[in-house]
Amino acid sequence: MKAVVLTKPKTIKIEEREYPICGEDEALVRIDAVGICGSDLHFFSDFRIGSAKIEKTRILGHEACGTVVEVGRRVSHIKPGERVALDPTRGCGVCRRCRSGLEHLCDLGAPRFLGNAYTDGVMQEYVAVPASRACLLPKDCPVERACLIEPFSVALHAAGKPSIHYGDRAVILGAGCIGLMLLFALREHGVRDIAVVDLVDARLRKAEGLGASLVLNAGACDVNKRILEYTEGEGMDLVFETAGSSFTQTQTVELLGKGGRIVLVGMSGAPSAPMDLNTLLRKEGTIYTVFRFTTEFLTAARMVCRHGTKLEQVITHRYPCEEAQKAFEDCMEHKDEVIKAVVQFHNTDR
């Protein structure tokens, strides 16, 4: 079978790999499409994210949907021919964190998350996965929409971190895929007054289409000043950082209102970002952090499959697997055009 393999920084090759064997608790899935995530781009560019470094080669990708072709003898909830989305989380299931609902923080499972520095991902024609991680999809759920379930799970997790009160005002720093999905998720949580900040006008137009009440191009205005004007000098109740930039991570404290909540979602390549802790203390602000998601995958699948028509507009580019190198290069070099790219492995409906 074909596999998209990252062999060194900024170099992808299509290689032949052995067809996987389906275990008794597994499902063998034909991969139909895979979304390219920001973490994939970090690995493509630098061969690492922070301390997580690829040692040799790696198959990337963790935002996938596909069609079941075989199931193990102990699997009964799905059958061949059904379409599924794949939850890439891999906890041990027995440690204290897993048993308390924090499987994504499992010390044993973290290295096994699909498509990270230590474990191959799903950018290959077929993959064998624990059947418990295969989420059955409605027959009418388009392939591309199903690829958005995993990133939308992250957005739901982020939106659910802080307490949200009636009348809260929020700002999202970064209008990439996660930022736009977070905008949708916050509106589902009842937040209606949402500003979105980015450097790319095309992304800000997408944010307007998803219901942003204010969009600001950080390269064309003083964001801090505009936010203070917008909030009558009070600052924002909720500040979400999704850009993964040390600059915007630092900026969160400046945009925060008294008693506000900051949620750090984007992971920066820099080891740390300076924060004005004295100002944070005077505002009695609270900082939350997000690492992937916990139990939101099934909820995300239900919401995306039923109400995800708007979300599909974040997908701007599509590539056959043979053009994966170009897909990654376009994501890196044409951020003014590419919001979400999908790599397609089989001819399927959208």
Side-chain angles (χ1 to χ4, degrees):
M1 66 170 186
K2 295 178 183 177
V4 175
V5 183
L6 181 66
T7 59
K8 61 182 180 180
K10 300 181 181 178
T11 303
I12 282 176
K13 293 183 179 179
I14 306 300
E15 296 183 357
E16 291 291 322
R17 292 291 179 94
E18 290 189 10
Y19 191 83
I21 297 174
C22 183
E24 61 181 13
D25 293 308
E26 292 184 323
L28 181 63
V29 178
R30 183 196 72 181
I31 297 298
D32 293 330
V34 183
I36 296 178
C37 174
S39 63
D40 296 324
L41 296 177
H42 276 296
F43 285 127
F44 174 75
S45 175
D46 305 322
F47 232 51
R48 69 187 306 156
I49 301 177
S51 61
K53 182 181 179 181
I54 297 174
E55 294 298 332
K56 294 182 180 180
T57 65
R58 184 63 63 224
I59 297 173
L60 298 179
H62 56 267
E63 302 175 356
C65 74
T67 303
V68 178
V69 295
E70 182 185 345
V71 296
R73 66 177 184 84
R74 294 179 16 171
V75 178
S76 59
H77 70 288
I78 53 175
K79 59 181 183 291
E82 293 180 324
R83 182 175 291 170
V84 293
L86 303 183
D87 180 347
T89 306
R90 297 289 183 277
C92 71
V94 297
C95 72
R96 183 166 60 89
R97 291 184 181 87
C98 285
R99 291 187 174 187
S100 61
L102 300 176
E103 191 175 22
H104 64 309
L105 299 179
C106 169
D107 290 333
L108 296 176
R112 297 182 299 191
F113 182 91
L114 291 180
N116 67 8
Y118 316 103
T119 305
D120 279 338
V122 293
M123 282 196 185
Q124 50 188 314
E125 287 191 286
Y126 294 88
V127 63
V129 298
S132 61
R133 296 300 177 184
C135 175
L136 182 63
L137 300 173
K139 293 181 180 180
D140 60 350
C141 181
V143 165
E144 289 187 350
R145 189 184 301 178
C147 287
L148 298 175
I149 293 172
E150 197 277 343
F152 191 61
S153 300
V154 177
L156 281 182
H157 186 50
K161 275 286 185 176
S163 299
I164 293 178
H165 309 131
Y166 178 78
D168 272 348
R169 291 177 291 204
V171 60
I172 299 171
L173 302 178
C177 178
I178 295 296
L180 294 173
M181 299 230 167
L182 180 57
L183 169 59
F184 187 87
L186 285 174
R187 289 184 60 81
E188 290 294 302
H189 275 70
V191 183
R192 290 293 177 266
D193 201 350
I194 307 172
V196 178
V197 181
D198 202 275
L199 290 165
V200 180
D201 285 333
R203 297 186 175 202
L204 294 173
R205 287 194 293 272
K206 294 286 188 182
E208 286 182 312
L210 287 172
S213 50
L214 174 69
V215 295
L216 298 173
N217 188 315
C221 71
D222 184 330
V223 172
N224 293 359
K225 181 179 178 181
R226 289 292 303 277
I227 290 296
L228 282 176
E229 291 173 350
Y230 184 70
T231 59
E232 297 86 35
E234 292 186 355
M236 286 292 186
D237 305 296
L238 299 163
V239 181
F240 292 87
E241 200 288 326
T242 72
S245 159
S246 56
F247 176 85
T248 48
Q249 288 172 344
T250 298
Q251 190 180 29
T252 57
V253 177
E254 301 167 6
L255 301 176
L256 190 69
K258 292 181 179 179
R261 287 85 72 203
I262 293 171
V263 184
L264 301 177
V265 187
M267 188 170 289
S268 170
S272 62
M275 280 193 169
D276 186 346
L277 295 182
N278 285 331
T279 297
L280 183 68
L281 286 166
R282 285 195 294 270
K283 292 180 177 181
E284 201 168 293
T286 303
I287 296 179
Y288 297 88
T289 59
V290 168
F291 184 66
R292 299 172 183 155
F293 54 90
T294 52
T295 58
E296 291 86 2
F297 196 85
L298 291 178
T299 300
R302 183 175 65 251
M303 293 175 68
V304 169
C305 291
R306 293 182 181 177
H307 309 295
T309 304
K310 272 193 170 184
L311 285 177
E312 289 177 4
Q313 65 181 286
V314 308
I315 299 174
T316 54
H317 290 68
R318 303 158 182 89
Y319 303 82
C321 68
E322 293 81 4
E323 296 181 10
Q325 175 77 32
K326 176 174 171 52
F328 277 82
E329 289 175 349
D330 286 352
C331 288
M332 296 293 296
E333 299 170 8
H334 302 290
K335 295 181 180 180
D336 56 333
E337 300 174 8
V338 182
I339 298 177
K340 189 68 174 179
V342 172
V343 176
Q344 300 169 327
F345 283 83
H346 294 93
N347 293 325
T348 58
D349 63 277
R350 290 185 179 178

